[in-house]
C-alpha cells in the first residue's frame, strides 16, 4: 500500500487511553538512591521480601506434576478453602461454592473487571480520590468514565455501574468503619450500583480492626450487589504466585466465571494447591505480622524524628507521610540518602504533598534507613 493510501490517523489503541505508567517516572530517583555507598533502601513498591511459608512451598511442590489444564473455577477443595476462610476470618454467612472465584492476582481483576462486566462508553466507574491507580486504568481500558470521590454516597448515581471501595486503603492505610461501609452498601443497593471492595490488606490492621464488606454488620443477610477482593500476596508472601480470589454475589461471580472460561483466565493448578495450604495455616500469618509490626515501628519513629508527619496509616503495609512540601522534593531528598519512596501523586493529585513509605524491606535494610534518617 502506498503511503498516500494509508489512513490519515490510526484508530485509538488501548495504550492511548492510559496515562504514563507511574513507576517509570521514579527510575532516575531509583538510580540516584542506588548510588549510595551502602546501597539502596527501597521502600517504594510494597513487594514481599520474606520467604514463602514452608507449608505453602511444600504444597506447591507436591502439586508440581500437574500436566492437565486447571479449571477457571478452581478445584472443589480450593472452593472449600475459600468459603471456609471467608466465613471464619471475614464473618461472611451462607457462602456456597457459587459465592467464590479464584483469580490470577488481584491487579489483573482490578484492571479488567469493568471490561468483563461489559462496561463502556456512557458508564461510570468510581473509586476513592486517593487510590491505587489501576482502578482508573480499568475504567479507561473499558472505555468507561473514571470518577474519583471523597464520599461515595455523594456521587451522582446516573450512569454509575461500578463503585470501588478500598479498606484498608492503598496508599493511606485508612480503615473504613462498619458504619461507613454499611451506609455505602445501602446507598449503592438503592441505586443499583455494584460495590466491589478491595480488601487485600485486611489482615494487616495495626491501630484499627478492618471489617469486610461481607460481614453481616455491613451487608445484613444478603450478598446481593457486593463483591470482595482478597489476595494472598501480602498475608502469605505470595505475590510471585499470583494468587487471589473474589467472594460475594453469586450472580455477579457466575457471569464472571463464564467470561473467564472463554478467555482462559485460570489459576495454575500448583498455585491452587498452594492457596489451600496458605488459607489453612494461621501460624505463618502471625509470624509475618510480627515482622511487619517491628519494621513499621522502627520506620515510623525514624521518619517522625526526621520531621515527617504520619497521617492515617492505621493498617496496610505503608506509612502515609508528609513534610508539607511537594512530594517529588521529598522523593529527591530521600534518594540522596539512598532511600527510595513512592511519590503521593501516583495515587491522585490529592497526594501531591505526601509520600508512601512501604515497610516491606528486610530488617537489615530497615535498620539502614533508620541510621540514614538520624539527625
Amino acid at each position: 500500500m502506498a503511503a498516500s493510501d494509508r489512513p490519515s490517523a490510526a484508530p485509538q489503541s488501548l495504550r492511548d487511553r492510559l496515562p504514563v505508567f507511574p513507576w517509570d517516572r521514579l527510575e532516575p530517583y531509583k538510580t540516584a538512591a542506588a548510588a549510595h555507598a551502602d546501597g539502596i533502601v527501597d521502600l517504594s513498591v510494597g513487594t514481599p521480601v520474606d520467604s514463602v511459608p514452608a507449608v505453602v512451598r511444600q504444597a506447591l511442590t507436591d502439586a508440581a506434576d500437574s500436566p492437565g489444564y486447571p479449571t477457571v473455577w478452581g478445584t472443589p477443595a480450593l472452593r472449600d478453602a475459600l468459603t471456609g476462610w471467608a466465613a471464619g476470618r471475614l464473618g461472611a454467612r451462607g457462602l456456597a461454592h457459587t459465592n467464590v472465584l479464584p483469580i490470577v492476582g488481584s491487579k489483573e481483576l482490578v484492571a479488567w473487571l469493568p471490561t468483563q462486566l461489559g462496561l463502556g462508553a456512557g458508564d461510570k466507574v468510581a473509586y476513592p480520590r486517593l487510590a491505587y491507580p489501576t482502578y482508573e486504568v480499568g475504567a479507561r481500558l473499558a472505555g468507561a468514565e473514571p470518577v474519583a470521590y471523597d464520599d461515595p454516597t455523594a456521587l451522582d448515581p446516573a450512569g454509575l455501574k461500578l463503585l470501588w471501595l478500598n479498606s484498608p486503603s492503598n496508599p493511606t492505610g485508612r480503615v473504613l468503619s462498619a458504619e461507613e461501609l454499611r451506609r455505602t452498601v445501602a446507598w449503592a443497593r438503592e441505586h443499583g450500583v455494584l460495590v466491589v471492595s478491595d480488601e487485600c490488606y485486611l489482615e494487616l490492621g495495626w491501630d484499627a480492626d478492618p471489617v469486610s464488606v461481607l460481614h453481616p454488620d455491613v451487608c445484613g443477610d444478603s450478598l446481593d450487589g457486593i463483591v470482595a477482593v482478597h489476595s494472598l500476596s501480602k498475608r502469605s508472601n505470595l505475590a510471585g504466585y499470583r494468587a487471589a480470589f473474589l467472594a460475594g454475589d453469586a450472580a455477579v461471580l457466575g457471569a464472571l466465571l463464564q467470561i473467564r472460561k472463554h478467555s482462559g483466565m485460570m489459576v495454575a493448578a500448583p498455585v491452587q494447591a498452594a492457596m489451600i495450604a496458605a488459607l489453612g495455616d494461621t501460624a505463618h500469618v502471625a509470624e509475618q505480622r510480627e515482622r511487619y509490626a517491628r519494621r513499621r515501628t522502627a520506620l515510623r519513629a525514624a521518619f517522625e524524628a526526621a520531621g515527617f508527619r504520619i497521617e492515617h496509616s492505621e493498617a496496610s503495609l505503608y506509612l502515609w507521610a508528609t513534610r508539607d512540601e511537594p512530594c517529588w522534593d521529598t522523593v529527591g531528598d530521600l534518594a540522596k540518602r539512598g532511600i527510595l519512596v513512592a511519590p503521593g501523586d501516583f495515587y491522585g493529585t490529592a497526594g501531591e504533598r505526601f509520600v508512601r513509605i512501604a515497610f516491606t524491606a528486610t530488617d537489615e535494610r530497615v535498620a539502614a534507613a533508620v541510621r540514614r534518617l538520624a539527625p
Side-chain angles (χ1 to χ4, degrees), residues 23 26 42-48 318 340-342 347 356 358 360-361:
W23 294 97
L26 199 57
D42 193 342
L43 307 179
S44 60
V45 180
T47 187
Y318 311 108
L340 188 68
V341 299
Y347 309 95
R356 193 195 72 171
T360 53

Side-chain angles (χ1 to χ4, degrees), residues 64-89:
D65 187 11
S66 297
Y69 289 111
T71 65
V72 172
W73 200 13
T75 63
L78 175 57
R79 285 178 255 142
D80 282 343
L82 297 177
T83 55
W85 182 85
R89 181 62 183 85

Side-chain angles (χ1 to χ4, degrees), residues 226 292 338:
I226 57 172
Y292 284 142

Side-chain angles (χ1 to χ4, degrees), residues 73 83 93-101 117 189 194-195 214 221-228 246-259:
W73 200 13
T83 55
R93 294 178 184 166
L95 292 179
H97 284 193
T98 52
N99 297 113
V100 293
L101 180 63
L117 291 172
R189 284 173 168 168
L194 175 65
V195 172
L214 303 181
D221 294 323
S222 172
L223 299 178
D224 289 352
I226 57 172
V227 174
L246 304 177
D249 190 324
V252 174
L253 298 192
L256 290 176
L257 174 60
Q258 295 306 313
I259 293 165

Side-chain angles (χ1 to χ4, degrees), residues 139-209:
R140 294 188 180 281
L141 284 171
E145 179 184 351
V147 179
Y149 66 77
D150 295 305
D151 175 0
T153 64
L155 287 164
D156 179 357
L160 181 60
K161 299 296 178 63
L162 172 59
L163 172 61
W164 283 105
L165 300 179
N166 181 209
S167 176
S169 164
N170 175 15
T172 68
R174 180 188 174 198
V175 172
L176 298 176
S177 68
E179 171 55 34
E180 289 175 297
L181 291 170
R182 182 166 56 247
R183 181 169 61 92
T184 299
V185 167
W187 179 89
R189 284 173 168 168
E190 178 185 352
H191 296 287
V193 178
L194 175 65
V195 172
V196 181
S197 180
D198 182 346
E199 302 175 354
C200 290
Y201 296 92
L202 185 134
E203 297 259 40
L204 296 162
W206 310 111
D207 303 323
D209 188 12

Side-chain angles (χ1 to χ4, degrees), residues 85-341:
W85 182 85
R89 181 62 183 85
L90 307 181
R93 294 178 184 166
L95 292 179
H97 284 193
T98 52
N99 297 113
V100 293
L101 180 63
I103 54 176
V104 191
S106 58
K107 183 170 185 175
E108 168 261 302
L109 184 282
V110 173
W112 291 109
L113 181 60
T115 297
Q116 291 174 14
L117 291 172
L119 305 190
D123 298 323
K124 297 177 183 177
V125 175
Y127 51 87
R129 190 167 303 282
L130 276 168
Y132 183 48
T134 311
Y135 302 132
E136 177 185 355
V137 166
R140 294 188 180 281
L141 284 171
E145 179 184 351
V147 179
Y149 66 77
D150 295 305
D151 175 0
T153 64
L155 287 164
D156 179 357
L160 181 60
K161 299 296 178 63
L162 172 59
L163 172 61
W164 283 105
L165 300 179
N166 181 209
S167 176
S169 164
N170 175 15
T172 68
R174 180 188 174 198
V175 172
L176 298 176
S177 68
E179 171 55 34
E180 289 175 297
L181 291 170
R182 182 166 56 247
R183 181 169 61 92
T184 299
V185 167
W187 179 89
R189 284 173 168 168
E190 178 185 352
H191 296 287
V193 178
L194 175 65
V195 172
V196 181
S197 180
D198 182 346
E199 302 175 354
C200 290
Y201 296 92
L202 185 134
E203 297 259 40
L204 296 162
W206 310 111
D207 303 323
D209 188 12
V211 180
S212 172
V213 74
L214 303 181
H215 194 283
D217 288 350
V218 174
C219 65
D221 294 323
S222 172
L223 299 178
D224 289 352
I226 57 172
V227 174
V229 184
H230 283 272
S231 169
L232 278 67
S233 293
K234 314 302 183 183
R235 75 182 289 279
S236 300
N237 298 335
L238 297 190
Y241 284 44
R242 310 314 302 135
F245 65 94
L246 304 177
D249 190 324
V252 174
L253 298 192
L256 290 176
L257 174 60
Q258 295 306 313
I259 293 165
R260 294 169 72 85
K261 283 181 178 180
H262 280 293
S263 51
M265 304 181 93
M266 301 171 282
V267 176
V271 173
Q272 293 188 31
M275 291 174 70
I276 295 170
L279 291 166
D281 180 70
T282 58
H284 77 271
V285 179
E287 291 172 5
Q288 190 60 46
R289 276 183 55 86
E290 289 178 6
R291 295 186 190 104
Y292 284 142
R294 183 171 62 248
R295 295 164 186 168
R296 176 180 184 268
T297 297
L299 285 172
R300 179 165 193 153
F303 274 95
E304 288 181 333
F308 286 81
R309 184 176 74 256
I310 309 296
E311 293 193 0
H312 293 300
S313 307
E314 58 259 34
S316 82
L317 289 176
Y318 311 108
L319 298 173
W320 187 238
T322 182
R323 285 194 309 201
D324 296 310
E325 65 184 3
C327 60
W328 287 98
D329 290 354
T330 307
V331 169
D333 179 65
L334 289 173
K336 294 174 184 176
R337 307 190 202 191
I339 300 171
L340 188 68
V341 299

